[in-house]
Amino acid sequence: MTEHKSFKTRVRARMAKTGESYTTARRHLINRAAGPTPSPASPAAPTERPSDAATGSAAAQTERIADDLLRDRTGQGWADWFGVLDAASAAERTHTEIARLLMTEHEVPGWWAQTITVGYEQARGLRSPGQRRDGRFEASASRTVAAPAARLFEAVADETVRARWLPDVEVRVRTATAPRRFRADWAGGPTRIVVGFDAVGESKTRVNVLHEKLTGAEQAAELKAYWRDRLTALKALLESNGDA
């Protein structure tokens, strides 16, 4: 916990110097520590191992997210966070309660709170990779794109633009809250996608796709590989010289 307290001290020092809110000062320090966003091929990037798609298996969260990357983003590594959660009897809590604990009591950003929560649940045998606590399966993928959140949201929500990187798929929109969240039924149902957009600095955005209500581990692995490929296509489209 010493390192985490030290980070909080640095955040408050920046607040005193710049007049920023705690959240803003914290984000600037995290971005500075992270440096340039790793490319999808970088070992430090939050991606699954190259062999996962080939074997059809889902990687555990602790394998997908490097310990040093987690430490850079949250102030602590996997073992540290597992110790914190064990002390809080997190294994007896719901997924939502664990994530809320991390966000409210330890000031972990939402995306990373979810990441830690899933990793903890897998490590403690509360779910298998790709499986929810309630027994259902889901697939997820993410990419960081050099484009503002509003442009990324449009590329997902606009049917014409979406067809350029996600062709031949029927998507029935449920809710679209620009530029933060997009929810839709997938190919007529019963599965569903939730797409989130989180700004990373002024000109980069992390897009996260969660594909819910899947039939099992095999479908989850297939869709994880599919979404990694489609988000790579989205990234290429928006970062190319052509207009999206």
Side-chain angles (χ1 to χ4, degrees), residues 74-155:
T74 68
Q76 298 195 81
W78 283 114
D80 301 314
W81 282 120
F82 288 174
V84 168
L85 293 175
D86 281 341
S89 300
E92 301 173 7
R93 305 186 184 214
T94 66
H95 176 92
T96 300
E97 289 171 341
I98 299 172
R100 185 181 297 121
L101 169 73
L102 290 167
M103 289 187 288
T104 58
E105 295 190 19
H106 300 281
E107 299 170 344
V108 178
W111 191 87
W112 288 101
Q114 293 289 339
T115 296
I116 295 169
T117 299
V118 172
Y120 179 79
E121 291 170 336
Q122 291 174 354
R124 295 298 180 261
L126 302 174
R127 69 157 91 187
S128 300
Q131 186 179 31
R132 293 168 52 92
R133 284 281 291 273
D134 60 11
R136 292 182 296 173
F137 285 81
E138 59 189 24
S140 62
S142 66
R143 279 288 182 269
T144 297
V145 182
R151 189 165 177 234
L152 260 171
F153 179 87
E154 181 183 6

Side-chain angles (χ1 to χ4, degrees), residues 151-159 161-162 165-166 171 173 182 193 195 197 207 209 231 234:
R151 189 165 177 234
L152 260 171
F153 179 87
E154 181 183 6
V156 174
D158 184 278
E159 184 176 357
V161 180
R162 186 172 64 241
W165 62 274
L166 193 67
V171 173
V173 180
F182 177 89
I193 61 170
V195 188
F197 309 88
V207 55
V209 175
L231 290 184
L234 173 61

Side-chain angles (χ1 to χ4, degrees), residues 156-243:
V156 174
D158 184 278
E159 184 176 357
T160 301
V161 180
R162 186 172 64 241
R164 296 178 62 184
W165 62 274
L166 193 67
D168 305 321
V169 174
E170 176 190 355
V171 173
R172 186 169 65 242
V173 180
R174 298 177 66 89
T175 60
T177 308
R180 301 290 299 173
R181 192 77 57 189
F182 177 89
R183 297 174 183 269
D185 292 328
W186 179 258
T191 68
R192 183 180 303 170
I193 61 170
V194 181
V195 188
F197 309 88
D198 297 311
V200 182
E202 296 181 357
S203 60
K204 292 183 179 181
T205 304
R206 179 182 294 110
V207 55
N208 309 294
V209 175
L210 181 66
H211 202 138
E212 303 176 315
K213 298 187 176 182
L214 306 183
T215 58
E218 183 176 355
Q219 186 186 27
E222 291 174 353
L223 282 170
K224 176 180 283 291
Y226 172 82
W227 280 113
R228 283 171 52 81
D229 177 73
R230 290 301 83 212
L231 290 184
T232 298
L234 173 61
K235 177 182 174 71
L237 174 66
L238 295 188
E239 293 183 355
S240 68
N241 293 327
D243 293 331

Side-chain angles (χ1 to χ4, degrees), residues 1-7 76:
M1 295 298 292
T2 302
E3 183 177 345
H4 193 49
K5 290 180 179 178
S6 175
F7 181 73
Q76 298 195 81

Side-chain angles (χ1 to χ4, degrees), residues 49 52 58-65 119 122 129:
R49 296 170 299 172
D52 294 331
Q61 197 80 316
T62 53
E63 297 173 354
R64 293 180 59 245
I65 308 297
Q122 291 174 354

